[in-house]
Amino acid sequence: VHAMDLEQRRPPRTYLGTDNYDIEAVKADAQRRAAEKMEEVLDTFCCILIFFIAVVFGLFTLIMLCDQISGILSNQTGIEHLQGT
């Protein structure tokens, strides 16, 4: 019998590192890890959403800046430009 075979048959260790197999401790640990994973996924999603909103706001600001600079250089307001005067 190989040492690897013996290791595979042993029950998993609980959080405290003892050899006592406690299914409730294993379940609690699995639920905790699943909750942490879900939290990481939600954090990533929120970061992507905030980045997208920031890019849209940045584009809007850049467009407004270009419009204002265009009006200053042509010495016309936006309404005058639309009226063609």
Side-chain angles (χ1 to χ4, degrees):
V1 177
H2 289 25
M4 182 64 95
D5 292 337
L6 290 175
E7 277 295 316
Q8 290 176 353
R9 291 186 194 145
R10 290 180 62 190
R13 292 178 167 230
T14 60
Y15 181 73
L16 297 176
T18 62
D19 286 330
N20 297 333
Y21 183 69
D22 183 11
I23 190 69
E24 294 303 320
V26 173
K27 284 181 183 179
D29 188 49
Q31 288 175 344
R32 181 188 53 79
R33 284 186 279 127
E36 287 175 358
K37 182 70 173 175
M38 181 58 81
E39 187 176 319
E40 290 176 11
V41 169
L42 288 175
D43 286 348
T44 303
F45 176 74
C46 287
C47 285
I48 291 170
L49 182 65
I50 294 290
F51 178 77
F52 177 74
I53 291 170
V55 167
V56 170
F57 178 74
L59 286 172
F60 172 76
T61 305
L62 183 65
I63 290 169
M64 289 294 108
L65 176 67
C66 291
D67 183 54
Q68 292 296 314
I69 290 175
S70 171
I72 291 170
L73 293 177
S74 67
N75 199 23
Q76 282 186 337
T77 65
I79 300 297
E80 290 172 346
H81 179 73
L82 289 174
Q83 290 176 346
T85 57

